Amino acid sequence: MLKKPIHIISFENPFPPDFGGVIDVFYKIKALHSIGFKIYLHCFYQNRNQVSEELKAITEEVFLYKKNRNPLFLFSKIPLPVISRFHQDLAKNIAKVDAPVFFEGLQTTMILQKINLPNKKYLRLHNIESDFYAGMSKNETNYFWKTIYHFVAQKFIKYQKIISSFDYVFTLSCYENQVVKSMTNQSDYLPVFHGNQHQFLSERGKFALYHGDLRLADNKKAAKFLIDVFKEIPDYQLIIASSNGKKMVETKAKNLSNVTFVELNANNQLTDLFSEAHINVMLSFQRSGTKLKVVNSLFNGRFCLVNKNMIDDAAILDLCELAETKQEFVAKINELKNKEYQENEKRNQVLTTVLNDIENAKKIAFYLS
């Protein structure tokens, strides 16, 4: 099979695939490699400066570029996440191989402000960045970061006009695709790449589970909301699992015997929690992107109780239970805690169709041909 070359520019080194954005990047690379692409991967990084054997196995070559953290960039008209990701060697390395360039997020597009890149250009839009950073600003309690996020959001409102210059744009949600359609007709919704295999589980689990990175303001707010929910369900256990945030959770849940923090420090811990949980409970206070935790929970867990901000693909949302207000979450949890989980076959059929990494990689290949 003749391999087709492609440059992929990633906002971060995607291995290990241990948080939202890089999970989509890594498993997309893996799927594209499996269908015959020869991948030249360009990664900006802050601390992840090692090229793993796992990444070498699915790429032709990997180039690393350290992000530029110049504090003066705060005063630029270009958003900080964009201007900090440029390196002179990037253009030189792209010029070595004549191939389309696939940009992972607007953060990776600073090169387009510097040179006239003759290659075909494709964009994976990970968020409507102005919405994302506005939400970050709204939910942030630290005034310094609240201000920084506000100005980044304002700058992205203007910068996002660059979206219309790409040959094709692949969005992560239906809502984002609608927004992009107002800028260009050359776009389509392409579900997240994730690397999961559906797990067939028994009818009953033991507790409710919330998991997430508690360094993020939206996740902190969600965890605090759920602790308040479980104050009203004293006979049912909530486990909050994260690699950080223990002090915050234990302070907020003081005197609550039914709320427990589990610190994640091993790869199989979350998988084990999924297999034991009866309800995966998730919510977001900002409408931006597809939340990968929903996808992971659907593949690996039982009931998934979410609000509409978590995901907007109708087929996937149909696999979830919905709640919006505190009292709706209380009522749904009381309903589900005694209900047998019998959705294995239905869920498997939808997930292996809509969220099939290989089939979704073929959609990219179609537009690149």
Side-chain angles (χ1 to χ4, degrees), residues 139-241:
N139 293 321
E140 181 58 63
T141 55
N142 180 290
Y143 187 75
F144 173 79
W145 286 109
K146 191 178 191 71
T147 304
I148 293 294
Y149 294 147
H150 170 75
F151 283 112
V152 170
Q154 293 301 305
K155 292 174 184 179
F156 264 119
I157 290 173
K158 294 182 179 179
Y159 190 80
Q160 282 164 181
K161 294 176 182 177
I162 196 176
I163 288 172
S164 63
S165 68
F166 288 90
D167 291 279
Y168 214 82
V169 180
F170 302 96
T171 66
L172 260 174
S173 75
C174 300
Y175 161 70
E176 289 166 358
N177 195 46
Q178 290 173 356
V179 174
V180 172
K181 287 290 187 186
S182 69
M183 307 178 200
T184 174
N185 287 323
Q186 302 303 304
S187 75
D188 203 1
Y189 160 59
L190 186 70
V192 66
F193 290 79
H194 52 84
N196 286 294
Q197 297 294 323
H198 181 228
Q199 305 302 310
F200 288 77
L201 298 177
S202 62
E203 295 173 341
R204 287 199 173 276
K206 302 174 184 175
F207 49 78
L209 173 66
Y210 173 79
H211 72 284
D213 183 348
L214 295 182
R215 292 171 297 182
L216 301 178
D218 188 47
N219 289 346
K220 281 189 221 175
K221 192 172 180 180
K224 291 176 181 178
F225 175 92
L226 291 173
I227 290 170
D228 286 337
V229 166
F230 276 81
K231 283 181 182 177
E232 301 192 21
I233 318 173
D235 64 335
Y236 202 65
Q237 183 79 12
L238 170 67
I239 288 180
I240 297 176

Side-chain angles (χ1 to χ4, degrees), residues 45-96:
Y45 73 93
Q46 184 58 37
N47 300 309
R48 295 156 67 115
N49 61 351
Q50 301 297 316
V51 180
S52 66
E53 292 303 316
E54 290 88 346
L55 210 49
K56 290 177 182 177
I58 56 176
T59 57
E60 192 70 16
E61 197 166 0
V62 180
F63 305 93
L64 296 180
Y65 314 96
K66 185 150 177 101
K67 285 195 292 182
N68 188 340
R69 308 286 283 188
N70 188 334
L72 294 178
F73 287 166
L74 286 170
F75 304 102
S76 170
K77 293 180 180 180
I78 296 174
L80 182 62
V82 178
I83 196 171
S84 61
R85 289 177 170 90
F86 178 74
H87 196 286
Q88 293 292 343
D89 289 346
L90 175 60
K92 297 175 184 176
N93 290 329
I94 288 175
K96 293 176 184 176

